[in-house]
Every structure is written in structure tokens, then in C-alpha cells.
Amino acid sequence: MEKVYNFSAGPAMLPEAVLEKVQGELTNWNGLGTSVMEISHRSKEFLAVVDEAEKNLRELLSIPDNYHVLYAQGGARAQFAAVPMNLLGSNTIADYVDGGYWAASAVKEAKKYCTPNVVTVKTEIDGKRAILPAKDWKLSSDAAFVHFCPNETIDGIEIRDLPETDKPIVADMSSTILSRPIDVSKYGVIYAGAQKNIGPAGITLVIVRDDLLGKAKDFLPNVLNYTTLVDKESMFNTPPTFGWYLAGEVYKWLKEQGGVEAMQKKNEEKAALLYDFIDGSDFYVNNIHADNRSLMNVPFQLVNPELDAKFLAESDALGLKALKGHRDVGGMRASIYNAMSLEGVQALVAFMKDFEAKNA
Amino acid sequence: MEKVYNFSAGPAMLPEAVLEKVQGELTNWNGLGTSVMEISHRSKEFLAVVDEAEKNLRELLSIPDNYHVLYAQGGARAQFAAVPMNLLGSNTIADYVDGGYWAASAVKEAKKYCTPNVVTVKTEIDGKRAILPAKDWKLSSDAAFVHFCPNETIDGIEIRDLPETDKPIVADMSSTILSRPIDVSKYGVIYAGAQKNIGPAGITLVIVRDDLLGKAKDFLPNVLNYTTLVDKESMFNTPPTFGWYLAGEVYKWLKEQGGVEAMQKKNEEKAALLYDFIDGSDFYVNNIHADNRSLMNVPFQLVNPELDAKFLAESDALGLKALKGHRDVGGMRASIYNAMSLEGVQALVAFMKDFEAKNA
């Protein structure tokens, strides 16, 4: 069949080389005669997977020793509840930077546990959606932590600033993790659902600074308690072993690609190609200010939305898949995570050019 | 390589035919040119998987219309917290039938939310571990529900009676689900981690009677709220799509095998073969009374435990994998879920006979 490029926002495409390796060894992993899915999470073979994955992830993100690498379940949505229950202690206030759809969803869940101070950061510059500089964010002086989502998958917005605070910074990095270097030491907690840049849906990475442990609410379920996860090495309940293994394969692949520095370069190149084309066209539009455009999720609209259905049908027929925008935003969205090749974005731009020529 | 038989307690073996199908279509599912892992959970292709899985599961277990079929994350351990938070309402007492390791683990978690009335059911008959008949269980008159675990994976104990109560019965069926017919209408909630009889670790089946919804605690995380899962069709957070798809493949396979009635016959035959051999030997012993022996998990000991290591090394070398007993019980354990063939159990018995002949 023709080459397919999959622009799904998540569950998203995985690196082709990783998927092929996984397929090859799916029924006979490591010479055991069984699938990696069929062995005990406590077997020496699986524990070797765990150790290698941790080593590689720590290397990729330069994770300091005073941070724990944990795996949980329930995605970012579960962390929306887990974060306040783990971190509030006796405090009742936390700052929530309101950058978009996912930040707002975190606020909704947080209201069960605290009084979120919703920090206004959205603005407009030259008619484009933008984010205020961090110096203008009105943080609370008595917040237990500051929560933000540096990349809003649905809005296509990135927040490049960090909150200016001495409180623990908590970041939902579901859609940016591993797409560039980060300074982990600036964060208290980083969490990320796997299904964009790590692996398949169903496993959640949580990186927690050591000093934030031990403050959990009594009613926090143990499966979401960071201290329990530390004590039980993320095996308090049977972990999603296949996802964990696959994440480990993605980490190895990332190292082969040159690490997150190389990914950043490639991701910037891919995003520039697409944004530059959109900006040079009167047929397509992106309504996010250049300073806050996401490198990972590129929403765009046809100036004439009556052509949307035709655009989607024709792109799909050419193997450019899952370009439909989120129902809350409309139009189109191209998610171009680590696993998307430059060729994929080139193919998309070529199609867009052709479609414009035929329909403008 | 030689044929491998995998007796892991969980994550456990999957049906060979299912794994081979999954392998074949791993990189190009449904002709889409992508993996089933890489598509949106809200795509029409994945929703077709969901619908077919639900239809087949309802058929396999004859699930009445007033029950919801839900999928959650976090395994049975998450349900240990979710059950009381969802079902207690204003009540503060629940009955917990104490049949073994997992029942006791559920009690530990429940203590965060209520006063569990721990119901003694363990006894001894003729020097063997056994379970009291249900008429002798001292249930509380004011419990919100009665929790029990019909198959204790670690102890190798089955509780064949149902609690005699008009309260909602909640059953952790992680290791028995789909191994035989059940009368779902007798239960309020049935839950099961997938990694024994359903699919890979990381997805949890929850079957909930309609009238039990709507009583959740305020602080229950939405990812564990049955009402939220019903409202969002188990897609409040991005579900573990690969596990869901694989569960659907297992349901199809079960139907091809003749459904759960046929599985019960096969499972009884497998278990009888192994228990009869053990009972006829002076070299091996199983310390569970015949009435309460698990059809799924068969723990056994060598009368001379000094031979344990030799037994495990030699069985492993022959492709009889993961026979080491749980660290809390010692000795050996053969888990013989649906996916284990009669040939596998025959191979195990042949080895045990041979080992006995050489070492008795």
C-alpha cells in the first residue's frame, strides 16, 4: 500500500522502526518463546527492561538524582486529581495557569481538592491568540504549587515561559515531553500521558522531586500515591508492561536519533516548514501568535470552511491521515510529534499547495 | 525453538491464535497503514472495535441490559479504592469476605474510606485450607455492600458460594472472569484486571448495575468514577486502546472456542488432570481442600523443598515456564487460565512424573 502519514493528536504515531521491531518479536521476545506481554512484571527479564528504560530516560532528559521516575495509569486526567492530593499537604490553594483546554480541565478536577487560583495568561496580539509573558502572571503568594501545561494540544498553543515562583512547578508535558531538552531541576513534578511522544495509550510518566513526597491526603488511592509508587517501584499494582516495554524501545530509538537535542532541531524544522507555508498563503490560516505556536500540534483553517470536507477526504485518500481538527476548534490539525518524519510534513505541504491551486 | 508453556500468574499467556493475529496486523491494522495503537480512540474504526467487544462480552457473559460494561485503569488495586468511593454513599460500613491475600489487600485500601467488617471465612478441614459455607459467614446488617474475591490467585483458593445477602455483591473476578458462566444478575459490581483471562496488563473491566451509580464521594477522582465512565463511555481519559482491542480479540476467540461453557469444561479437565496427579503422589502436595481448589491457579509443594530449585531449573529448561510459587507461599504454582491448553498441563504432569521418578 501507499505510504501513510498519520497526523493523529493521540494516540499518535510511533516510530516506524520501533513498531517493526515490536512486531518482529511480539510472539517470541528475548528468545523466551513468549510475548513480552505474557511475562511477570517481576521476572528478571522484565526488570531488565525497566532498568534500561530508566537509565535511558534519565540520560535523555538529564534527570537529577533527587527526582524519581514513576509510571502510573489513567493518563493526565488521573494526574489532574493526583497532583493536588499528593502535593497540597495542609494547604488549600494552588495556582493554575490557564493556557487552554487542558489547563482548564486540570482546574475542574482540582476543585475537588482545593481552591485553584486560576491565573489569566491568555491574550491577543495583532488579532492572534497569545500568552502573556510570565512576569505578568498574577500568582498567589500562598499557593502549594503552580500548575501549567506548556503545550496545549487542542489549541495549538505553547507556553515557553516558566512561572516565576519559588513554589514547586507542576507541568503537564503530555504532548511536549522528549521533543526537546528541558531543565528538570526547575520543576517539582512533570507528568505526561504516553500516547504522544512516549508510547501507546495507557501508561503515564511521572517525574517527582524527592522532597515533595509524603504529603498525600488520607483518601488518595494508593495507585495514585507518589510515595507508594516510589516504595513499590511503580509496581504497587500490575503495571501496563507492554506500554512500559514500548516506552523503553522509544527511548532507545530517541538515543539513536541523537537524543532530545536532535529531536528539537528536527521538530523546529518540521514546524517551520508548515507554519511558513501557511503564513505565505491566503488560503490557509493559523490564528496563534508566532511566539506561542506549538511545535507539536499545528491547527489550521481553510479561509473557506466549506472546503473542509473536501480537504479531509482528498488528504485521507492520499494517505495523509487524521487531519480533522478537534471538535472544539474545527478546521484541521496536524500533530507532528517526534515520530513524524520531515517527509511526512513535506508531503502534507505538497498536498496543501496542490489543493490550494485547484480550489483557490 | 521448542514449544513453550507459560504458567505465569499474570501478566499471563494469551491465546496463541490471538497473539499471531495481533502480530500479523500490528503495523497495518484494518488496512489503514497504521497500527491500531496509533489511531484515535474516537475514530470510527476504533469505535467499531469498542462496539464489537461490548456485544461479544455481553453475549459471552449474558450481561443483562441494566448493567454497564466499563473499562478503567489501575487494575484491581485501583478498584479496591474505587468500589467504596463509588458505592458507600452516606454509609460507613461494608462487608469484606476474607478469603485470602487479595481479599485482605482490598480491606487495607477500603480502610481509607469506611469501616470494613472483615468476615472470617477461612477454616481447616482434614488439615487442608478451606472456606466456610456461606450460611456461616457473619455479615453485617447495615453494610453498604459485600465484597469478595471468588478466586485467590496466590492462595489457590476458590470460594464457590455467593454471600447470602440482599446487599449489592461486589466481586473481584480478576482471575476467574470468562473461565466459566456466571449469573451477572446476582452481582452489583464485577471487576477484573485484564492480565489473566482478558488481555494484557493495563486495562480493567468493570461491570456495574445501573442503580448503583450516582453515589460517588466528592473526592473520588473522575477517572475512577463509575458515573463519569458511563457518561463518557469509558473515554473520559484516553483509554488503553491496544489493551481494549486485544480484549476484543480474546472475546472473539472465546466465542470461537464455544463460549464460557466450553471454557469451563476445558478448565475443569485441565485442573482435574493436575490435582489428580498431585493427590496420587507422595512426592507433591497441595494443601487446599478439594471443595475450594482453584481451577485457575494450582499451587503445589515438593514434600522435600530442597528439590525446589532443581525442579524449577529443569522445568524451565524444558519450556515449562514461570512455575515458581508466590514469595508468600513458596513452592510451585501453575496458573492454567483459559489460554493454557490441555497439552500444556499434560506436558507439566509428564515432567512432574519424570522428576518424581528420578528424585523420589
Side-chain angles (χ1 to χ4, degrees):
Chain A
M1 74 180 298
E2 85 214 353
K3 181 84 187 167
V4 161
Y5 294 109
N6 176 9
F7 295 91
S8 175
M13 69 177 294
L14 291 158
E16 201 174 343
V18 169
L19 257 190
E20 280 168 4
K21 177 168 188 282
V22 169
Q23 181 176 38
E25 64 195 26
L26 196 79
T27 57
N28 181 10
W29 177 76
N30 226 359
L32 290 178
T34 64
S35 178
V36 67
M37 276 181 269
E38 299 174 301
I39 63 168
S40 171
H41 50 298
R42 299 191 192 280
S43 63
K44 68 175 188 303
E45 292 86 358
F46 193 76
L47 293 178
V49 169
V50 165
D51 288 346
E52 192 183 8
E54 169 134 359
K55 189 183 134 290
N56 286 336
L57 183 70
R58 283 189 177 274
E59 193 179 319
L60 283 163
L61 292 179
S62 307
I63 301 174
D65 287 347
N66 61 325
Y67 285 75
H68 299 277
V69 172
L70 307 174
Y71 292 93
Q73 290 183 254
R77 291 270 192 193
Q79 294 305 312
F80 293 171
V83 162
M85 281 196 275
N86 274 288
L87 302 187
L88 279 168
S90 56
N91 203 333
T92 57
I93 296 173
D95 283 330
Y96 278 79
V97 174
D98 182 25
Y101 179 95
W102 289 105
S105 302
V107 170
K108 266 189 225 165
E109 190 81 14
K111 282 184 178 162
K112 298 180 178 195
Y113 311 105
C114 65
T115 308
N117 173 42
V118 179
V119 182
T120 303
V121 301
K122 292 184 212 165
T123 186
E124 268 198 16
I125 302 178
D126 305 332
K128 299 271 189 185
R129 292 177 65 186
I131 297 290
L132 292 170
K135 66 175 174 51
D136 296 335
W137 301 358
K138 300 215 172 356
L139 302 180
S140 162
S141 58
D142 44 6
F145 57 86
V146 183
H147 180 277
F148 87 125
C149 179
N151 184 80
E152 287 284 352
T153 320
I154 290 175
D155 305 83
I157 286 181
E158 263 196 34
I159 303 181
R160 292 203 168 73
D161 286 357
L162 272 177
E164 296 181 352
T165 177
D166 57 355
K167 306 286 163 49
I169 296 174
V170 179
D172 174 1
M173 291 203 183
S174 294
S175 46
T176 47
I177 192 92
L178 293 165
S179 69
R180 71 201 71 181
I182 46 170
D183 182 352
V184 173
S185 73
K186 297 213 160 123
Y187 300 83
V189 176
I190 292 169
Y191 63 87
Q195 65 273 16
K196 290 130 195 311
N197 270 325
I198 297 177
I203 184 162
T204 316
L205 173 66
V206 186
I207 302 172
V208 185
R209 205 174 65 210
D210 195 56
D211 66 295
L212 299 176
L213 299 173
K215 288 190 278 193
K217 299 278 182 210
D218 291 343
F219 51 73
L220 171 59
N222 263 310
V223 293
L224 295 176
N225 186 324
Y226 298 155
T227 307
T228 305
L229 293 179
V230 169
D231 291 348
K232 302 289 183 186
E233 298 177 308
S234 303
M235 293 191 179
F236 174 69
N237 66 306
T238 307
T241 49
F242 184 68
W244 201 336
Y245 145 81
L246 225 160
E249 293 298 324
V250 169
Y251 302 157
K252 282 191 248 179
W253 176 83
L254 284 169
K255 283 182 66 181
E256 287 161 19
Q257 306 303 304
V260 291
E261 295 78 9
M263 293 320 298
Q264 178 172 32
K265 260 183 85 170
K266 188 181 142 194
N267 287 326
E268 286 172 348
E269 189 181 359
K270 280 157 31 187
L273 182 65
L274 190 46
Y275 285 119
D276 287 350
F277 171 73
I278 292 168
D279 288 345
S281 149
D282 296 326
F283 190 79
Y284 303 99
V285 65
N286 165 282
N287 67 358
I288 312 296
H289 189 269
D291 290 351
N292 295 107
R293 280 173 167 176
S294 167
L295 290 188
M296 297 283 104
N297 311 95
V298 183
F300 60 91
Q301 288 77 41
L302 304 193
V303 172
N304 175 6
E306 284 175 16
L307 291 168
D308 282 8
K310 193 177 179 202
F311 181 97
L312 289 169
E314 289 185 13
S315 55
D316 185 82
L318 281 173
L320 303 165
K321 300 284 184 182
L323 284 165
K324 192 168 198 284
H326 189 273
R327 59 191 180 280
D328 287 10
V329 176
M332 266 46 83
R333 173 173 51 171
S335 293
I336 51 176
Y337 301 115
N338 282 341
M340 175 59 69
S341 63
L342 180 63
E343 291 70 32
V345 180
Q346 287 167 336
L348 172 60
V349 169
F351 166 75
M352 289 169 73
K353 210 175 283 188
D354 186 59
F355 187 83
E356 178 175 349
K358 288 180 181 150
N359 295 280
Chain B
M1 74 180 294
E2 85 212 351
K3 181 86 188 166
V4 160
Y5 295 109
N6 176 10
F7 295 92
S8 175
M13 68 178 293
L14 292 158
E16 201 175 342
V18 169
L19 257 189
E20 281 168 5
K21 177 169 189 283
V22 169
Q23 181 176 39
E25 64 195 25
L26 196 79
T27 57
N28 182 10
W29 177 76
N30 226 358
L32 290 178
T34 65
S35 178
V36 66
M37 277 181 268
E38 299 174 300
I39 63 168
S40 170
H41 49 298
R42 300 191 192 279
S43 63
K44 68 175 189 301
E45 292 86 359
F46 193 78
L47 293 177
V49 169
V50 165
D51 288 346
E52 190 182 9
E54 169 135 0
K55 188 182 136 288
N56 286 336
L57 183 70
R58 284 190 176 274
E59 192 179 319
L60 283 163
L61 292 178
S62 307
I63 301 174
D65 287 346
N66 61 325
Y67 285 75
H68 298 277
V69 172
L70 307 174
Y71 291 93
Q73 289 183 256
R77 291 270 192 193
Q79 294 306 311
F80 293 170
V83 162
M85 282 195 275
N86 274 287
L87 302 187
L88 279 168
S90 56
N91 203 331
T92 58
I93 296 173
D95 283 331
Y96 277 79
V97 174
D98 181 25
Y101 180 96
W102 288 106
S105 302
V107 169
K108 266 188 227 167
E109 189 82 14
K111 281 182 179 163
K112 298 179 178 195
Y113 313 105
C114 64
T115 307
N117 172 43
V118 179
V119 182
T120 303
V121 301
K122 291 184 212 165
T123 187
E124 268 200 15
I125 302 176
D126 306 332
K128 300 271 189 185
R129 293 177 66 185
I131 297 291
L132 292 169
K135 65 177 176 44
D136 296 335
W137 300 356
K138 300 215 170 359
L139 303 180
S140 161
S141 58
D142 45 6
F145 57 85
V146 183
H147 180 276
F148 86 125
C149 179
N151 184 80
E152 286 284 353
T153 319
I154 290 175
D155 305 83
I157 286 181
E158 263 196 35
I159 302 181
R160 294 203 167 74
D161 287 357
L162 272 177
E164 297 180 353
T165 179
D166 57 356
K167 305 285 162 49
I169 296 174
V170 179
D172 173 1
M173 291 203 185
S174 294
S175 47
T176 48
I177 191 92
L178 292 166
S179 68
R180 71 203 68 184
I182 46 170
D183 182 352
V184 173
S185 73
K186 297 213 161 121
Y187 298 84
V189 176
I190 293 168
Y191 63 87
Q195 67 272 16
K196 291 134 194 309
N197 270 324
I198 297 176
I203 183 163
T204 315
L205 173 66
V206 186
I207 302 172
V208 185
R209 206 174 64 208
D210 195 56
D211 65 297
L212 298 176
L213 299 172
K215 288 189 277 192
K217 299 278 182 210
D218 290 344
F219 50 74
L220 171 60
N222 262 311
V223 293
L224 295 176
N225 185 324
Y226 298 155
T227 307
T228 305
L229 293 179
V230 168
D231 290 347
K232 302 290 184 184
E233 297 177 310
S234 302
M235 292 192 181
F236 175 67
N237 66 306
T238 306
T241 49
F242 183 68
W244 201 335
Y245 145 80
L246 225 160
E249 292 298 323
V250 169
Y251 303 156
K252 282 192 248 178
W253 176 83
L254 284 170
K255 283 182 67 182
E256 286 160 21
Q257 305 303 303
V260 291
E261 294 78 9
M263 292 320 298
Q264 178 171 31
K265 257 183 89 169
K266 188 183 142 193
N267 288 325
E268 285 173 347
E269 189 182 358
K270 281 157 30 188
L273 181 65
L274 190 47
Y275 284 119
D276 287 351
F277 171 72
I278 292 168
D279 288 344
S281 150
D282 297 325
F283 189 80
Y284 302 100
V285 64
N286 164 282
N287 68 357
I288 311 297
H289 189 271
D291 290 352
N292 296 107
R293 281 174 165 175
S294 167
L295 290 188
M296 297 283 104
N297 311 95
V298 183
F300 59 92
Q301 287 77 41
L302 304 192
V303 172
N304 176 5
E306 285 175 16
L307 290 168
D308 281 8
K310 192 177 181 201
F311 180 97
L312 289 169
E314 291 184 15
S315 55
D316 185 81
L318 282 173
L320 303 165
K321 301 284 185 184
L323 284 165
K324 193 169 198 284
H326 189 273
R327 60 191 180 279
D328 287 10
V329 175
M332 266 47 83
R333 172 174 52 171
S335 292
I336 50 176
Y337 301 116
N338 283 342
M340 175 59 68
S341 63
L342 180 63
E343 292 70 30
V345 180
Q346 286 167 337
L348 173 59
V349 168
F351 166 76
M352 289 169 73
K353 210 176 280 188
D354 186 57
F355 188 84
E356 177 175 351
K358 287 179 180 152
N359 296 280

